[in-house]
Amino acid sequence: MATKREFDADDTSSAKRVKMENGNGSLDPASNPYLAHWNEPMAKKDPSNSADRLHSFKRHATTAKQAKAAEDGPINPFTGKTLSNNYFSILHKRRDLPVHQQREEFLKLYQESQILVFVGETGSGKTTQIPQFVLFDDLPQLNAKMVACTQPRRVAAMSVAQRVAEELDVELGAEVGYSIRFEDKTSPSTILKYMTDGMLLREAMHDNNLTRYSTIILDEAHERTLATDILMGLLKEVVLRRPDLKLIIMSATLDATKFQKYFHNAPLLAVPGRTHPVEIFYTPAPERDYVEAALRTVLQIHATEEEGDILLFLTGEEEIEDACRKINLETQDLIREDAAGPLTVYPLYGTLPPAQQQKIFSPAPPPLKPGGRPGRKCIVSTNIAETSLTIDGIVYVVDPGFSKQKVYNPRIRVESLLVSPISKASAQQRAGRAGRTRPGKCFRLYTESAFKKELIEQTYPEVLRSNLASTVLELKKLGIDDLVHFDLMDPPAPETLMRALEELNYLACLDDEGELTTLGRLASEFPLDPALAVMLVTSPEFYCSNEILSLTALLSVPQIFVRPASNRKRADEMKDLFAHPDGDHLTMLNVYHAFKSDDAQANPKQWCHDHFLSYRALQQADNVRLQLKRIMEREELELMSTPFENKKYYENIRRALVAGFFMQVAKREGNGKTYTTVKDEQNVLLHPSTVLAQDSEWVVYNEFVLTTKNYIRTVTAVKPEWLLDIAPNYYDLATFKKGEIKQALQRVVTKMERKEAEKGRR
Amino acid sequence: MGLAAPKNRSRIGNDPQNTTWANNTTRFGHRILTQQGWKPGASLGAQDAAHSAHYTAASHSHIRVLLKDDNLGLGAKRGSERAENFGLAGLESVLGRLNGKEEEVKKEEERREKVQQRAYVYRKFGFMNFVSGGFLVGDRIERGIKRGEEVKVEMKSELESSESDVKEKKSKKRKRSSEEEEIKEEVKEEQPKLKRKKKSMNLREEAARTATAEEAFESKPKKERKEKKDKKSKKSSSDPSSTTSTTDSPAPIPDEPLSDKARQKAEKRARKEEKKLKRALKKAAKEAARSNPTVDAPSSESEEDSTTVTSTPTSSVPTTGTSTPLTSVSGLSFTACGRHAVRQRFIRQKKMASIDPQALKEIFMIKTPS
């Protein structure tokens, strides 16, 4: 292993040097490829040299001084090649970061205890520096292990890995790599791996003790994503089994006591960030209309306050776009009246294409005339600007105190996406955004007493707000059988867990004793919701696994249809081109097939634009499909299609859909517009975006969301016979409540029996 | 809102909480959980967990959310939900007094009064007020300055005091009271406009209105102060200058390019100095009866505070250092006489115009097919 790594190091080093020397323009025999044999012995010397350097290091007994000396070069201690100028200029800046002040302290605590809670405010440099500190002390290369650092977001994992590779003067994917869903950029020489928390969880499913790692760093633990929470519960058990494994929990908020308590009173190290004081302002009385109040505040700041950018938090895409339009209109007036400088407004929300998201980083506009009032930019954002994105230059924050939050209700199995008050912690986080570059101000559009009385302390972690079906499947795969006593930081409501278990039981992923079945094991191989996974796994039985594979991919990416506010009618017309009368699933499939046709592939971007489709989503779906296909091939699931000419082509697909989504079926009430969900008996409406013709009595839906009303989205018509046929367990009439649905199903049963009898008579 | 409120019909199903499911104890999930040692009513998680004190209610039962279908701000209630609308508030305080909770009742009444006064100001001007809530240092709120409270109170009483001032000083100060009345007039003039627009709270108009209101607000104290100062020496200077400039009245306001905040700060400083000077002069030169310092001082202070509230309590801004060089510049601009009169005239004109819809359209540059 070690020899191999050395060889790798040689290889890259010489390649890099050639590039570097060329850049300088000087002629050095070392850079001459024809004299490669000359510098061979030299290159050989380097690694031994570097090895010496680190050999003097004793694992878990190094000091900051030693590490500093090693960092000072001139030879890269990990690769053995000479360090570049760029490295030293970065190193200089790195040494200025707040965490460097406490390197010695960090090392001491790190060496002393197995678990460490590290608190560093944003801007302290913890995400990039701490893993490097660990590298110099843990020396994972000596034991052929790795250091893992998890991130809640894919983009963060990628960009941080890129940055750290630069800082260590290595190539991305070599010593420093990253691993995110559907993309793995690591190599055998990787010693530091940035990854999404979900990826580490997936790895744990196959390697329950995570033996590949000597240190695991859970970054951004304060965000409390589902995967981080599960990982914490898991690692808490793993550290008992593996005394050699070190664990660092990194959080950005000072509410670390909870983490400490959870991890057996682990020591805490706090590093101050580089934040400036932020002055908080409340309104003296509650606002009647928070959006309007927000707009007025923004305009007032713009007209009366000093230079500095504004960040306004609103709840959703529509609200944000609307606000942007209004602010633009008003500032034009202000400028005309010469009451203010120019103001550029940028929206920011998750579904915005990345190119437009990047725009928020562009500098504020210059004054209209030299010496005039300075311009500023105003970013109107959802709560992604609260933690995920850091925008420098923000001095004013306007916080109406609301955000859209996803909450799952296990009783009626609805996922609500509603505007609700934020938490105190979240309000502080928002305010903190104003103090990144200089002292700032935060204008809260509520009273101080409302802040104290109406806001909860902490935002509920994801584990309390989600459907846990896939989590339970993962936990089962992780070998955790006692779900009741699994030590989560915030255990979910019992009903949520019950619902998840029941869903898995009906999907036949768990047997009646709660043990994982073969189907369950197979389904857990897919990074998908259990219902989708089961649909995919069983699709060969319906001779349409190719199509279901595409459909699964399409259902696991963001909305593929684009419907811009300015051009709704045209967008709907375009959607109608693909519409299939039987429902949205088939419509999506039509879109995908059209997208893959030669016609569209000639210029896919333009084609998508013309047809009001999201190129990004379709491309992503394509990528997901490829990855899922690989898993299917690995698990030896057959890929097949019913011939398109066959009239059962679409029927088979709809049947396969039922096999996964039989628990998400609704029946129309009489001849009206409303539907009732089967078993849970909730009144729902078809989402207005559906293409489904109105005369379908039974539909299967992909999601049940509560936005303004109870809506079921992405629906396809099915036949009740299929339900009884494909999911007899769920559609056991004895378990149904008396009512319309039971009667209807009863009728279908008798009809089927009669047919059966007729067939037998013949 | 009562009967006038928009009807919002929604059907509630037979079992919106799905208690059929929740109460069924023979379900698979229930069985598995009890098998593993869970008891109904208990929460999940490790036994005797050290961090169990941190568990929230959401660990026991799912999170309840409310459907929010309006834009009501945090803490705001719909009109009909307020106790005072039913006269319940009065009853409450009577009962409270009977129960010997005099102090609490008083506090509550005061609070209510404050809210009402605030609402009055809000209706009139519609601009935003903010109360300092301290500094966020790191993750913690630090409050060194307890200024916010004072500012609030001052803010509300501002209008009252200016009105009462008028009554009190009418006899003493003819010039001054006429000024006050002018302001009152302005305010009154604004009222019909507000009423008219309230129905269609178009944001365009709204913001324009706030802008004018703000301007009026800003100019008020300035105007007064200047008038006071000018009274002695250049009493007449403002009038001719304003008349000359009325011909080109919609011309841009000269001090606009300066950052408003800096200007305000500077003005405040200049005003303070002037105040001192003026007081000294007053005491020395004028007879004691003429100036009633107990009335004058608080009112002027409140005016000062009102301006700071509209932006921020200046003294608590940590960047005061940057404003010092600006002082001289804007201090100069302040002494430039006549400009404020121009501005005041301009505003008044605008207000007059706002009564005339055609002129209003011109001001707001609304193009209408005529």
Side-chain angles (χ1 to χ4, degrees):
Chain A
M1 191 74 196
T3 51
K4 192 168 175 248
R5 189 168 288 147
E6 247 164 53
F7 173 74
D8 276 355
D10 268 358
D11 226 86
T12 50
S13 79
S14 55
K16 180 105 184 210
R17 184 167 303 157
V18 169
K19 222 187 278 167
M20 221 177 66
E21 240 55 293
N22 279 354
N24 289 343
S26 68
L27 259 176
D28 187 84
S31 68
N32 192 336
Y34 297 106
L35 299 174
H37 58 281
W38 272 22
N39 56 32
E40 197 130 55
M42 241 176 82
K44 272 259 169 67
K45 223 170 86 192
D46 284 355
S48 62
N49 200 349
S50 79
D52 276 344
R53 198 170 266 284
L54 288 183
H55 267 312
S56 68
F57 280 42
K58 214 169 144 237
R59 203 164 170 259
H60 294 165
T62 63
T63 60
K65 219 182 218 168
Q66 278 178 299
K68 192 167 177 271
E71 274 179 356
D72 278 336
I75 285 152
N76 191 330
F78 294 107
T79 60
K81 52 182 186 171
T82 329
L83 291 160
S84 68
N85 287 335
N86 187 31
Y87 169 86
F88 288 108
S89 70
I90 295 176
L91 183 67
H92 192 69
K93 271 182 234 154
R94 278 171 57 201
R95 295 253 161 96
D96 277 347
L97 286 167
V99 278
H100 264 269
Q101 307 297 318
Q102 272 153 297
R103 187 170 190 164
E104 190 68 63
E105 209 176 325
F106 167 77
L107 285 176
K108 200 168 147 272
L109 284 174
Y110 172 73
Q111 288 155 2
E112 271 170 9
S113 84
Q114 196 179 5
I115 308 175
L116 172 66
V117 178
F118 183 92
V119 171
E121 288 170 32
T122 33
S124 60
K126 63 176 182 337
T127 306
T128 53
Q129 303 308 308
I130 294 292
Q132 295 185 51
F133 294 176
V134 169
L135 274 190
F136 277 97
D137 187 60
D138 200 32
L139 306 170
Q141 65 274 26
L142 301 181
N143 301 353
K145 300 237 175 191
M146 279 191 277
V147 171
C149 180
T150 68
Q151 296 289 322
R153 280 170 300 278
R154 298 155 48 106
V155 186
M158 276 155 61
S159 58
V160 173
Q162 171 75 49
R163 171 73 193 173
V164 172
E166 259 174 55
E167 287 187 359
L168 283 174
D169 207 13
V170 296
E171 238 159 277
L172 182 63
E175 276 74 18
V176 178
Y178 66 86
S179 168
I180 56 179
R181 188 168 82 145
F182 304 141
E183 198 178 342
D184 186 3
K185 207 166 171 64
T186 57
S187 67
S189 61
T190 302
I191 49 173
L192 171 58
K193 182 154 128 188
Y194 281 91
M195 61 208 302
T196 53
D197 42 14
M199 271 317 283
L200 188 60
L201 198 57
R202 292 244 132 227
E203 282 189 15
M205 280 164 63
H206 297 280
D207 175 9
N208 286 353
N209 279 336
L210 290 161
T211 44
R212 300 169 70 188
Y213 303 100
S214 56
T215 300
I216 292 173
I217 304 169
L218 298 181
D219 196 6
E220 316 282 352
H222 62 278
E223 285 193 31
R224 306 288 309 278
T225 59
L226 189 52
T228 298
D229 265 15
I230 305 291
L231 271 176
M232 286 198 291
L234 195 70
L235 288 169
K236 209 178 156 180
E237 290 179 11
V238 173
V239 288
L240 298 178
R241 294 198 294 263
R242 275 192 58 196
D244 60 314
L245 179 72
K246 294 220 174 226
L247 183 60
I248 301 175
I249 314 293
M250 298 209 286
S251 158
T253 53
L254 290 172
D255 179 44
T257 44
K258 199 171 174 181
F259 287 106
Q260 273 184 290
K261 273 225 177 95
Y262 180 62
F263 285 108
H264 316 292
N265 292 322
L268 171 81
L269 181 64
V271 170
R274 272 204 195 134
T275 49
H276 301 270
V278 175
E279 196 175 2
I280 312 277
F281 295 96
Y282 295 99
T283 55
E287 291 301 322
R288 257 160 234 262
D289 183 335
Y290 72 88
V291 180
E292 195 208 292
L295 298 183
R296 273 195 274 135
T297 311
V298 166
L299 292 169
Q300 195 180 311
I301 292 170
H302 182 49
T304 59
E305 295 280 345
E306 278 170 50
E307 197 176 353
D309 299 335
I310 307 169
L311 175 61
L312 164 62
F313 286 100
L314 286 178
T315 59
E317 179 179 339
E318 219 169 298
E319 203 176 84
I320 287 172
E321 289 291 357
D322 199 39
C324 286
R325 218 168 21 250
K326 280 177 177 161
I327 294 173
N328 262 329
L329 214 67
E330 291 302 328
T331 28
Q332 274 163 25
D333 271 14
L334 277 178
I335 293 166
R336 213 174 292 140
E337 290 270 328
D338 206 17
L343 177 80
T344 335
V345 190
Y346 298 110
L348 176 63
Y349 41 85
T351 51
L352 206 66
Q356 264 174 293
Q357 283 194 14
Q358 280 301 314
K359 274 190 191 165
I360 60 164
F361 296 110
S362 46
L368 285 177
K369 48 181 185 275
R373 301 190 63 171
R376 63 175 109 217
K377 66 180 173 193
C378 171
I379 295 155
V380 187
S381 166
T382 58
N383 51 354
I384 60 168
E386 197 177 297
T387 47
S388 327
L389 273 168
T390 300
I391 313 152
D392 284 327
I394 299 290
V395 179
Y396 306 100
V397 166
V398 181
D399 172 20
F402 290 107
S403 73
K404 244 183 204 169
Q405 279 166 13
K406 238 183 203 171
V407 173
Y408 175 72
N409 179 339
R411 287 200 178 172
I412 54 178
R413 292 193 297 149
V414 66
E415 190 150 77
S416 54
L417 189 60
L418 296 178
V419 174
S420 37
I422 56 171
S423 67
K424 281 180 192 148
S426 173
Q428 307 297 58
Q429 189 88 21
R430 286 180 174 191
R433 296 272 122 178
R436 298 270 313 175
T437 37
R438 64 185 173 88
K441 288 172 188 175
C442 172
F443 297 91
R444 291 184 173 159
L445 305 178
Y446 39 88
T447 61
E448 192 167 6
S449 74
F451 172 78
K452 281 182 184 145
K453 284 180 201 155
E454 310 223 351
L455 300 187
I456 52 169
E457 288 298 328
Q458 297 282 334
T459 311
Y460 290 118
E462 217 180 338
V463 69
L464 299 177
R465 295 189 283 119
S466 317
N467 182 352
L468 295 180
S470 55
T471 307
V472 169
L473 195 61
E474 276 166 0
L475 286 174
K476 282 277 172 197
K477 189 75 192 294
L478 286 164
I480 288 150
D481 285 322
D482 187 357
L483 292 168
V484 168
H485 297 114
F486 181 57
D487 191 6
L488 280 168
M489 200 155 167
D490 276 296
E495 282 186 0
T496 313
L497 182 59
M498 282 184 218
R499 199 45 119 166
L501 285 166
E502 277 160 42
E503 282 187 11
L504 290 171
N505 181 236
Y506 281 125
L507 284 169
C509 290
L510 296 180
D511 64 16
D512 284 347
E513 297 313 308
E515 297 302 320
L516 208 59
T517 60
T518 332
L519 178 62
R521 203 156 284 135
L522 201 54
S524 71
E525 289 299 320
F526 293 90
L528 295 168
D529 256 8
L532 276 173
V534 166
M535 173 172 87
L536 193 54
V537 169
T538 53
S539 62
E541 293 172 29
F542 300 93
Y543 311 103
C544 56
S545 44
N546 274 319
E547 284 74 17
I548 291 296
L549 180 59
S550 310
L551 193 55
T552 312
L554 288 164
L555 289 173
S556 37
V557 297
Q559 181 63 263
I560 57 168
F561 295 103
V562 179
R563 198 162 174 263
S566 54
N567 220 347
R568 284 199 183 124
K569 210 173 152 212
R570 186 99 186 94
D572 289 344
E573 279 169 20
M574 277 302 169
K575 191 176 175 182
D576 282 344
L577 285 183
F578 303 104
H580 190 285
D582 279 337
D584 300 312
H585 292 96
L586 302 180
T587 306
M588 285 167 89
L589 206 56
N590 284 345
V591 169
Y592 184 73
H593 288 154
F595 175 69
K596 294 304 276 181
S597 68
D598 297 336
D599 236 19
Q601 284 299 312
N603 188 358
K605 220 167 182 174
Q606 187 58 40
W607 184 84
C608 287
H609 184 262
D610 291 346
H611 292 83
F612 289 90
L613 298 167
S614 162
Y615 176 57
R616 200 161 59 105
L618 280 168
Q619 221 182 9
Q620 211 181 330
D622 221 21
N623 189 8
V624 171
R625 188 183 190 278
L626 190 74
Q627 302 292 332
L628 292 175
K629 195 176 157 203
R630 277 196 204 135
I631 301 174
M632 281 184 86
E633 278 162 359
R634 195 178 69 207
E635 302 299 328
E636 292 174 343
L637 291 164
E638 214 174 333
L639 285 160
M640 54 175 132
S641 297
T642 314
F644 189 69
E645 301 76 37
N646 194 323
K647 61 178 184 220
K648 292 233 163 173
Y649 178 79
Y650 283 114
E651 192 190 309
N652 279 342
I653 296 170
R654 282 156 69 198
R655 276 170 174 272
L657 252 168
V658 169
F661 287 90
F662 56 85
M663 282 182 285
Q664 300 181 11
V665 174
K667 183 194 173 296
R668 195 178 51 182
E669 277 178 45
N671 286 319
K673 268 187 184 170
T674 53
Y675 281 73
T676 313
T677 59
V678 166
K679 280 211 173 172
D680 296 330
E681 312 237 326
Q682 298 300 309
N683 296 327
V684 292
L685 290 168
L686 298 183
H687 195 267
S689 67
T690 185
V691 297
L692 187 70
Q694 278 299 316
D695 56 348
S696 28
E697 202 183 353
W698 297 84
V699 293
V700 6
Y701 56 87
N702 183 48
E703 48 184 354
F704 174 13
V705 288
L706 173 58
T707 47
T708 46
K709 290 193 174 90
N710 276 342
Y711 280 126
I712 50 176
R713 223 173 7 204
T714 318
V715 292
T716 288
V718 291
K719 292 202 170 122
E721 290 88 350
W722 302 344
L723 301 172
L724 293 161
D725 192 32
I726 294 166
N729 254 340
Y730 193 72
Y731 289 89
D732 176 8
L733 286 184
T735 63
F736 271 74
K737 205 160 64 168
K738 232 185 234 168
E740 207 185 329
I741 289 177
K742 186 168 181 174
Q743 277 173 8
L745 285 170
Q746 196 68 57
R747 277 198 298 276
V748 175
V749 170
T750 42
K751 202 169 105 192
M752 276 166 81
E753 274 166 1
R754 205 183 306 137
K755 248 188 200 163
E756 203 63 29
E758 265 172 35
K759 228 185 239 170
R761 224 175 293 145
R762 248 181 242 149
Chain B
M1 293 250 181
L3 294 172
K7 284 201 183 71
N8 214 349
R9 280 201 301 181
S10 65
R11 236 186 78 194
I12 297 171
N14 289 333
D15 191 4
Q17 285 287 317
N18 202 4
T19 45
T20 334
W21 178 81
N23 296 338
N24 183 356
T25 51
T26 58
R27 286 171 296 127
F28 171 76
H30 201 279
R31 190 162 54 80
I32 295 286
L33 254 61
T34 35
Q35 250 176 35
Q36 294 183 351
W38 171 78
K39 284 182 194 68
S43 71
L44 305 178
Q47 276 160 334
D48 310 318
H51 58 284
S52 59
H54 292 284
Y55 289 174
T56 52
S59 288
H60 296 275
S61 184
H62 65 267
I63 300 163
R64 263 75 171 175
V65 280
L66 288 172
L67 182 69
K68 183 175 163 55
D69 55 356
D70 49 28
N71 274 349
L72 224 54
L74 195 66
K77 284 187 180 129
R78 250 169 255 184
S80 60
E81 285 162 24
R82 288 220 298 267
E84 51 262 41
N85 284 18
F86 298 105
L88 284 177
L91 188 66
E92 252 173 45
S93 54
V94 169
L95 289 174
R97 284 217 173 83
L98 285 174
N99 283 325
K101 287 178 184 166
E102 183 80 36
E103 256 172 52
E104 281 165 53
V105 168
K106 222 173 208 171
K107 229 182 244 168
E108 174 65 18
E109 269 178 350
E110 262 167 31
R111 190 193 64 81
R112 215 170 276 151
E113 211 168 299
K114 269 184 209 171
V115 170
Q116 256 173 3
Q117 285 168 343
R118 225 172 271 146
Y120 174 75
V121 174
Y122 172 84
R123 274 201 302 277
K124 271 209 157 153
F125 303 105
F127 59 81
M128 309 296 307
N129 303 319
F130 288 98
V131 184
S132 173
F135 291 92
L136 181 78
V137 178
D139 230 12
R140 215 158 286 247
I141 295 272
E142 255 178 39
R143 39 176 73 234
I145 319 108
K146 194 67 195 148
R147 200 187 154 88
E149 204 68 39
E150 295 164 32
V151 171
K152 260 195 289 183
V153 183
E154 226 76 275
M155 172 61 216
K156 284 164 292 122
S157 56
E158 194 272 332
L159 265 179
E160 281 184 331
S161 70
S162 71
E163 273 164 339
S164 60
D165 273 0
V166 176
K167 282 174 208 152
E168 279 175 26
K169 291 183 207 160
K170 218 165 214 170
S171 55
K172 292 174 199 162
K173 259 198 203 176
R174 244 175 3 113
K175 178 70 184 168
R176 187 182 159 106
S177 61
S178 70
E179 273 302 327
E180 292 281 1
E181 252 152 20
E182 249 177 42
I183 298 157
K184 251 176 95 181
E185 252 170 45
E186 276 172 18
V187 172
K188 269 179 191 157
E189 273 165 15
E190 207 177 50
Q191 227 162 5
K193 193 181 83 184
L194 296 194
K195 267 179 193 159
R196 200 150 34 83
K197 278 175 194 163
K198 200 147 278 170
K199 269 167 198 161
S200 62
M201 276 285 249
N202 191 346
L203 199 107
R204 246 179 104 80
E205 292 168 345
E206 167 74 17
R209 198 195 72 204
T210 40
T212 49
E214 232 172 276
E215 276 173 323
F217 220 85
E218 274 171 32
S219 64
K220 234 190 288 172
K222 264 187 258 160
K223 200 168 56 189
E224 280 176 21
R225 187 127 347 251
K226 202 168 73 68
E227 226 55 62
K228 274 188 236 163
K229 190 191 72 183
D230 288 349
K231 228 179 290 158
K232 280 178 282 163
S233 54
K234 27 193 171 168
K235 209 171 209 168
S236 56
S237 69
S238 68
D239 279 359
S241 70
S242 62
T243 41
T244 50
S245 54
T246 35
T247 45
D248 50 272
S249 57
I253 307 140
D255 62 342
E256 224 38 47
L258 250 166
S259 128
D260 266 359
K261 239 213 83 188
R263 200 187 62 218
Q264 277 178 8
K265 262 192 224 164
E267 272 170 13
K268 214 188 120 185
R269 199 158 293 195
R271 257 185 277 139
K272 260 186 191 159
E273 248 144 66
E274 260 177 337
K275 200 161 75 180
K276 271 186 205 161
L277 201 101
K278 192 185 67 187
R279 269 192 194 151
L281 274 171
K282 258 185 201 167
K283 270 182 188 163
K286 307 270 171 175
E287 67 271 19
R290 203 211 66 100
S291 75
N292 189 349
T294 44
V295 177
D296 204 10
S299 78
S300 57
E301 226 146 50
S302 74
E303 281 152 16
E304 207 173 86
D305 269 317
S306 71
T307 49
T308 51
V309 165
T310 54
S311 61
T312 50
T314 327
S315 62
S316 52
V317 179
T319 50
T320 16
T322 56
S323 74
T324 21
L326 278 169
T327 322
S328 59
V329 180
S330 41
L332 268 176
S333 76
F334 180 78
T335 47
C337 63
R339 205 204 58 222
H340 290 283
V342 175
R343 190 176 154 81
Q344 174 193 334
R345 190 59 62 95
F346 169 64
I347 289 159
R348 210 174 311 145
Q349 237 169 11
K350 229 169 151 184
K351 273 183 191 140
M352 289 294 276
S354 69
I355 297 163
D356 176 12
Q358 193 52 46
L360 195 68
K361 270 175 196 160
E362 271 173 28
I363 287 172
F364 290 150
M365 297 191 183
I366 299 168
K367 276 176 203 150
T368 41
S370 52

